Amino acid sequence: MREFYGVTLANALMLGTAQYPSPAVMQAAFRDSGASVATVSLRREAGQGQAFWDIIRDLGVRVLPNTAGCHSAREAVTTARMAREMFETNWIKLEVIGHADTLQPDPFGLLEAAEILTREGFEVFPYTTEDQVLAQRLLDAGCRVLMPWGAPIGSGLGLNNRYGLRMLRAAFPEVPMVIDAGLGLPSHAAEAMEMGFDAVLLNTAVAQAGDPAAMARAFALAVQAGQLAHAADPMGPRDMAAPSTPVIGKAWL
């Protein structure tokens, strides 16, 4: 398992904490999945009071505060500073949204905010696209983790640009990477891990499932299967059939 800013996670599954039918259902999802990180949006969850924060802390996992809903670098930086004070962590999932419909990251605002936050000692997890130029700029700014999207947030579409994601993974083999957003099925998570990504982060696919705890466990098993498959060095696709049964020694009639 890859390290994230010096921290080795026991489980490559990261879960969000929004949209669950109840706090009890959210707790069950974390318990049944064994997820090692909980992402929390300071802006979205602030209205739920101290009881909600106590529940998050009682999950016994690492908290990754999130600047979700921020549409400018200034807004994201302010939210990150507030999150560090509240959760006493330098970890921050940095989102700067640039498009209201697709929730695509704003590359310019993202880079600006990342530069400011890394200078202030934050350990930034930038929500980005699969663009290699932007990835290099974020690394140059001091980010040591990348979080490319699979598809638009909450869409459930899976891995929209498999070619781009494979090229990104290949271009920066030593950089820890988390596929974030757009995963809808456990098979999507398995595919991401098979491609060599180090973790997946999701929320909607679990929180809005008919049985969130069962779906969370399904994602956890899929992540493990994908990790094992990647480590086993899977065969590549072929254009032609290849017999699996040897033909040497077969009688030709």
Side-chain angles (χ1 to χ4, degrees), residues 104-121:
Q104 180 171 329
D106 172 0
F108 308 103
L110 179 66
L111 181 57
E112 180 184 350
E115 290 172 339
I116 294 170
L117 293 174
T118 54
R119 285 199 301 267
E120 295 184 4

Side-chain angles (χ1 to χ4, degrees), residues 44-168:
R44 184 170 56 228
E45 315 294 0
Q48 301 194 41
Q50 185 60 45
F52 180 80
W53 302 126
D54 292 340
I55 290 171
I56 297 299
R57 292 187 178 95
D58 289 345
L59 292 175
V61 300
R62 263 194 103 86
V63 175
L64 177 60
N66 187 357
T67 64
C70 293
H71 290 261
S72 70
R74 180 178 179 181
E75 197 177 10
V77 168
T78 300
T79 303
R81 290 168 177 162
M82 293 169 59
R84 179 159 63 179
E85 291 185 15
M86 177 168 289
F87 291 103
E88 299 179 342
T89 178
N90 286 326
W91 278 22
I92 191 72
K93 180 190 168 189
L94 179 60
E95 286 188 28
V96 182
I97 300 301
H99 193 277
D101 291 332
T102 64
L103 302 181
Q104 180 171 329
D106 172 0
F108 308 103
L110 179 66
L111 181 57
E112 180 184 350
E115 290 172 339
I116 294 170
L117 293 174
T118 54
R119 285 199 301 267
E120 295 184 4
F122 281 89
E123 295 172 328
V124 178
F125 292 67
Y127 166 62
T128 182
T129 66
E130 64 275 18
D131 184 276
Q132 291 188 33
V133 176
L134 177 56
Q136 185 62 64
R137 297 292 188 272
L138 289 167
L139 296 173
D140 292 343
C143 297
R144 290 162 50 195
V145 174
L146 295 173
M147 300 185 80
W149 66 346
I153 295 171
S155 67
L157 293 172
L159 306 180
N160 263 0
N161 184 358
R162 289 167 174 79
Y163 171 80
L165 290 170
R166 283 196 298 270
M167 293 302 100
L168 180 69

